[in-house]
Amino acid sequence: MEVDDRGVYGQDQRQLILPLTRFSTEREVEDLVNDAYEKLKISGLGAPNMYPIVSEVFGELAMNAVQHSESPIDAYGAIQFYDFQDGGSRFSCAVADGGIGIRRSLERNPQLKPRVRYDWDAVLVAIEERVSGTGDPHRGIGLFGVAEEMRRPGRQTIIHSGQGWLDISEGQQNPPGRTTLFPGTLVFVSVPT
Amino acid sequence: MRVFELYKRPVLVTRDSAHIIGDILGTEYLDNNGELYLDFQGIEAVTPSFIDELIGILESKVANNQEFKVILVNFPTRLTSKYSAIGRGRHIKIDEIQPGQWELSRE
């Protein structure tokens, strides 16, 4: 595939920590996260104490996609550093898949099924502690941990699965909403640095 | 036990990778007080899922005596509410004795 990028000026390639990358196995996730961490260190961009946060969050999101999405097109992830003209800078991560979505994943757990009738219910339930479609009481830490980490000032998480949408930012959490269909799950996080 | 020597990489992500520690863990790693020290020097980040799995493994491997105690040394992250929640879910108390040093014990 060729992209017509005439008139688009090149950016500092150091800012592209992880280009949009396809993955499907836990091993690939472990490799991607460690490669991204090394690239963050080499880049010297942003605050170094954010590198572990970015790596950890991306790793959890990517693992969720591999383990729960059942995506026939695998999963995709990217990490980017943005340096804004107003002086602010951020790390952003996104992971997306074309799988069954959070609602269908969670409703496999009979105890959760009554609570996840709609996609917008499911995105809210998914960030609770120890909630998992597996029914294993020792699972369900990944998205909970990401949400907890992203409640700090200046940080933002957007979860879009099916028709469900949840925006968590700056110590607050808006009610989940109904939105246009995303055929899978997309999670975007943004961290100031 | 030096954790980095087992992995040779700075970020520990998956639940499966926590089992590498479990697979080699034996009583020879316990000190005279029955405590286990895991040194994370060289590890820069860990996911909550990794820690959750590790705690479960440690509990099953080292929990023969009631005085279950594991010390994580040079641990790469501060103790925050999400990690405390992970401990609660496993009935394990996590204390941050000092920056970079966590103590795991039974609740």
Side-chain angles (χ1 to χ4, degrees), chain A residues 31 34 56 60 138 149, chain B residues 9 11 13 49 52 82 86:
Chain A
D31 289 345
N34 277 279
E56 171 194 318
E60 288 285 20
H138 294 308
E149 193 65 55
Chain B
R9 49 189 8 186
V11 188
V13 181
S49 291
D52 183 47
K82 68 183 175 189
I86 287 170

Side-chain angles (χ1 to χ4, degrees), chain A residues 30-49:
Chain A
E30 191 107 43
D31 289 345
L32 283 176
V33 171
N34 277 279
D35 289 349
Y37 184 82
E38 294 298 338
K39 194 163 178 192
L40 282 164
K41 277 206 309 190
I42 292 167
S43 76
L45 295 167
N49 65 345

